[in-house]
Amino acid sequence: MLQTTIEPPRQKRRWRALATAILVVCGLLVASLAIGVYDITADDFGAELVWITRVPRTLALVLAGAAIATSGLVMQMLTQNRFVDATTSGTTEWAALGLLLSALLLPDLGLVGKMVVASCFAFAGAMLFMLILSRVVIRSTLVVPLIGIMLGAVVSAATTFLAAQFSLLQMLGTWFMGSFTQVVRGRYEVLWVVAVVTILVFVLADRITVAGLGKDVATSIGVNYQTILVSGTALVAVAAGVTVVVVGFLPLLGLVVPNIVSMVRGDNVRANLPWVALGGIALVTLCDIIGRLIIRPFEVPVSMVLGLVGAVVFIALLFRQQRA
Amino acid sequence: MSWPTSPKTAVTRKASIVLALGAALLLSACSGDSPAEAESSDGSGSTATVTITDNHGEVEVPVNPKTVVALDNTVFETLSEWDIKLAAAPKGVMGSAWPGYTDDTKVADVGNHREPNLETIVAAQPDLIIGGYRFGDYYDEIKKQNPQAAVIEIAPRPDKDAFTELERQTEILGQIFDREDEAKALNDKLDSAIAGAKAAYNGTDSVMTVNTSAGKIGYIAPEVGRSLGPVFPALGWKPALEVDGATDNHQGDDITVEAIADSNPDWIVALDRDAAFAAADREAGSAPATELITKSEALKNVPAVREGHIVVLDPNFYLEEGIQSYTDLFNQLEKAFAA
């Protein structure tokens, strides 16, 4: 009896909260559109410039932010570990290696071809990570990201070595420095691929949740664990591969956002998903705005701001973990 | 300074002293020159020395040293013009600009400045090591490892006028390799190239210098920025974009095409960092600098793009940066600005 009287208002409150969050994110996006060096109200060209630089950049922020954050959540479910995302599992480093190799061996490959190669490498890397996890006896949850970070370090050492051999070191730095500075019309469109990834994550949310409960539970409910594991990893790999090619590394984004959301709202993947996507958009947009403002008319790459924010949250999470 | 200690060189030393004394007697007999001066011009190249002032202070350097190791990219062009043989060089940072050195297997490879193989320098037993520039961090180490060699650093110092510094460097090289006339000719060429470029500039057009890499455009600050910064004061260019307190930490800054459009430059001078790679080896987004700039939709209204006032530096400029590259650059600028 009590249940029925309380449920509707709570439901309503939830919707109201989500609506508020959407409004806040929209506010951030409007700010992102409004901030720039060129005075868009000054002349006719200003209006055109909005479509050339501002809209593409903001769209890129939305697409990358939502995809990286949700794929972080997927990664955490699949590994059953809070500290895993594309950066702490070495997946982005594999994507980077793939990108460099494709540039060296198949220089005529277009942007899409490069993304395919990068995504394949990211997938192979993520699967290798999963394989190692399944073979290792894990005594502490922290061992999992440590394995990933170690793997990533080995892979990025190989990438650096290759780049040094072909005098591409400086190019490498420019390439992988996560930054939306150069995102203009004609250079962001491929990011729509990650919109598909995000939608697929929403579709597969329940199955991923079940897979997150472990192989035995999943199988007993009738979910094909292996299929979900592989398709989930593939989604993460595509998100990582595509964003690395277009904007570079976005460190810790996929780690910080899902964790904050579950801290506030508890663990319910399906209900949390929109929050994670919104949170990813909000965080990357906020960091990008900060990066654009502090040394105007120049910019601080978003990866630097994200790295700082991410590191602080990561350490806070570690402390929480210790207390729990 | 330290004298060679092996018996063999001691013998030649004795012989050269006898020769020097003989020459001194002869000279003093006919012209009354002081013996000290005569001693330094004793005819055998390996023992004559000259005192030069490098970036660290006074150093006694053998004239026309027998075994030379050079690590500073800015001197290679001059050395190769003068046919100076090198015992070792950092082939990793020389690209394809000096095949005479890089393709020669007799020239040992020191590697690149990030992971140099300093032992190859020791193994070469050089009389002279021209260090500095990218190898500046290894000065003390190199000095300690090669006590028999004169170690000098003569690359342009960052806090001084870049072009006087290049001329100072050339002058020192001229003294060491006994090519003072050639050195002076190089310096004169630079001076006249600067004067020509300065005359071709109308004094009012605004200029922006950028570098391009991996499809991205970076901002090079006037005066302090890499490679092109010093050109601003030398030619009296009016910067299209000046940022308060722009220091060297703003070198090659992340800048949006919007900001370039907003500064509305009359001229864009670009250093293409990836240009040393052949067109086929390019990353998809990293069109050559001109393409990157002219094809940018945001820049289509900028005067520099509309009038085709875009100067892209020689592909090897980034590797060379010596007095010849700047002379060529100023000649190129004179031509572009006069057109």
Side-chain angles (χ1 to χ4, degrees):
Chain A
M1 285 304 274
L2 208 63
Q3 201 84 34
T4 46
T5 50
I6 285 172
E7 199 62 12
R10 188 185 277 174
Q11 201 81 11
K12 222 179 245 170
R13 220 182 306 145
R14 270 191 197 151
W15 282 112
R16 213 173 289 154
L18 195 61
T20 320
I22 291 173
L23 274 179
V24 170
V25 170
C26 285
L28 277 172
L29 295 181
V30 171
S32 163
L33 284 172
I35 292 167
V37 177
Y38 201 90
D39 182 6
I40 46 173
T41 56
D43 49 34
D44 293 343
F45 187 58
E48 206 182 329
L49 209 61
V50 170
W51 294 102
I52 296 172
T53 64
R54 303 281 174 90
V55 173
R57 182 171 191 154
T58 306
L59 274 175
L61 287 167
V62 171
L63 293 170
I68 296 291
T70 49
S71 67
L73 181 64
V74 170
M75 203 85 189
Q76 284 154 30
M77 294 307 296
L78 293 180
T79 57
Q80 300 176 38
N81 189 297
R82 273 195 195 296
F83 295 102
V84 175
D85 81 335
T87 14
T88 56
S89 62
T91 310
T92 41
E93 281 82 358
W94 280 95
L97 177 63
L99 176 55
L100 183 72
L101 281 176
S102 71
L104 284 175
L105 302 175
L106 306 158
D108 297 328
L109 215 59
L111 203 59
V112 177
K114 288 205 167 66
M115 282 178 354
V116 172
V117 176
S119 300
C120 288
F121 268 77
F123 181 69
M127 285 315 282
L128 179 71
F129 174 67
M130 300 282 195
L131 195 76
I132 292 175
L133 282 193
S134 68
R135 295 286 161 87
V136 172
V137 182
I138 290 152
R139 293 212 175 76
S140 153
T141 46
L142 287 176
V143 171
V144 176
L146 272 182
I147 293 172
I149 291 167
M150 265 157 47
L151 261 179
V154 172
V155 175
S156 77
T159 311
T160 311
F161 172 75
L162 268 178
Q165 288 298 304
F166 292 91
S167 350
L168 285 170
L169 270 182
Q170 271 160 334
M171 220 174 176
L172 197 73
T174 325
W175 245 353
F176 297 136
M177 175 71 83
S179 161
F180 289 88
T181 308
Q182 312 289 340
V183 172
V184 291
R185 189 157 75 191
R187 289 199 57 182
Y188 85 100
E189 284 79 356
V190 280
L191 271 181
W192 284 106
V193 175
V194 299
V196 178
V197 171
T198 314
I199 292 166
L200 283 176
V201 171
F202 273 84
V203 173
L204 293 175
D206 286 336
R207 265 164 268 193
I208 290 169
T209 315
V210 174
L213 296 173
K215 190 174 181 177
D216 299 338
V217 180
T219 316
S220 70
I221 309 175
V223 165
N224 190 335
Y225 178 74
Q226 230 43 335
T227 314
I228 291 301
L229 191 74
V230 171
S231 47
T233 312
L235 289 180
V236 174
V238 171
V242 173
T243 40
V244 162
V245 173
V246 181
V247 288
F249 292 149
L250 295 175
L252 303 173
L253 180 62
L255 185 90
V256 166
V257 176
N259 274 297
I260 293 175
V261 170
S262 73
M263 256 198 273
V264 177
R265 294 178 41 88
D267 289 316
N268 177 344
V269 174
R270 174 162 282 296
N272 281 1
L273 252 184
W275 287 91
V276 170
L278 280 175
I281 297 169
L283 184 61
V284 79
T285 309
L286 190 69
C287 288
D288 189 52
I289 290 175
I290 294 172
R292 274 191 262 178
L293 289 179
I294 45 181
I295 54 165
R296 251 163 91 93
F298 308 125
E299 305 197 351
V300 177
V302 73
S303 58
M304 229 183 259
V305 187
L306 257 180
L308 272 176
V309 175
V312 171
V313 177
F314 191 69
I315 289 167
L317 283 171
L318 282 183
F319 279 124
R320 256 176 78 95
Q321 177 89 1
Q322 293 283 301
R323 253 181 281 142
Chain B
M1 63 174 286
S2 58
W3 285 99
T5 44
S6 79
K8 213 171 162 193
T9 43
V11 170
T12 45
R13 208 187 96 209
K14 219 176 267 171
S16 66
I17 288 173
V18 172
L19 267 172
L21 278 174
L25 275 172
L26 259 174
L27 278 170
S28 59
C30 38
S31 67
D33 260 357
S34 74
E37 222 171 81
E39 196 181 272
S40 67
S41 57
D42 58 5
S44 92
S46 56
T47 45
T49 60
V50 58
T51 305
I52 58 122
T53 310
D54 82 340
N55 297 358
H56 298 273
E58 288 193 349
V59 188
E60 188 119 24
V61 180
V63 174
N64 273 325
K66 239 193 176 144
T67 316
V68 184
V69 170
L71 305 171
D72 172 356
N73 274 44
T74 61
V75 300
F76 290 133
E77 189 64 32
T78 306
L79 295 186
S80 84
E81 266 184 41
W82 293 350
D83 284 325
I84 309 291
K85 296 267 174 293
L86 291 182
K91 296 184 180 180
V93 289
M94 293 168 73
S96 55
W98 301 280
Y101 292 134
T102 45
D103 294 353
D104 186 349
T105 48
K106 271 181 257 156
V107 181
D109 186 5
V110 186
N112 69 38
H113 54 295
R114 283 174 217 278
E115 268 171 279
N117 187 357
L118 297 182
E119 277 176 34
T120 52
I121 304 176
V122 181
Q125 293 185 292
D127 307 310
L128 172 70
I129 300 169
I130 306 173
Y133 209 50
R134 291 188 175 92
F135 284 83
D137 289 349
Y138 305 105
Y139 177 73
D140 293 328
E141 221 172 322
I142 292 172
K143 231 180 138 157
K144 210 163 72 198
Q145 290 174 351
N146 302 277
Q148 86 292 349
V151 183
I152 60 168
E153 294 199 337
I154 50 176
R157 289 164 288 192
D159 51 334
K160 303 255 167 40
D161 174 69
F163 306 112
T164 351
E165 288 286 291
L166 279 176
E167 293 185 351
R168 176 192 68 119
Q169 179 192 51
T170 314
E171 212 172 283
I172 294 173
L173 288 176
Q175 287 171 331
I176 295 173
F177 295 103
D178 199 15
R179 312 245 178 172
E180 298 189 49
D181 294 341
E182 285 96 328
K184 195 177 174 310
L186 282 174
N187 289 349
D188 289 346
K189 263 197 218 160
L190 178 64
D191 283 336
S192 72
I194 292 178
K198 203 170 182 174
Y201 174 62
N202 64 11
T204 50
D205 279 0
S206 63
V207 184
M208 170 167 274
T209 49
V210 297
N211 61 30
T212 61
S213 179
K216 298 183 178 179
I217 303 176
Y219 169 78
I220 299 178
E223 291 193 47
V224 291
R226 166 100 195 219
S227 302
L228 284 169
V231 176
F232 279 87
L235 299 186
W237 276 352
K238 205 178 112 209
L241 175 64
E242 255 181 313
V243 179
D244 282 342
T247 49
D248 44 9
N249 60 14
H250 278 170
Q251 281 179 34
D253 241 305
D254 236 11
I255 191 168
T256 49
V257 277
E258 242 182 64
I260 302 175
D262 188 56
S263 69
N264 216 29
D266 295 309
W267 288 86
I268 295 177
V269 181
L271 168 71
D272 190 338
R273 289 207 311 197
D274 306 339
F277 303 98
D281 296 350
R282 279 174 180 283
E283 161 64 356
S286 89
T290 357
E291 215 176 295
L292 197 66
I293 294 164
T294 50
K295 287 214 174 135
S296 169
E297 288 183 285
L299 296 180
K300 64 180 179 191
N301 284 348
V302 166
V305 175
R306 263 197 341 247
E307 320 256 334
H309 285 169
I310 297 164
V311 181
V312 179
L313 270 54
D314 183 85
N316 274 333
F317 189 93
Y318 190 63
L319 288 174
E320 300 174 358
E321 296 182 297
I323 190 162
Q324 295 84 353
S325 354
Y326 276 103
T327 307
D328 292 346
L329 170 65
F330 285 117
N331 287 332
Q332 186 189 1
L333 290 173
E334 178 185 354
K335 228 190 234 163
F337 278 74

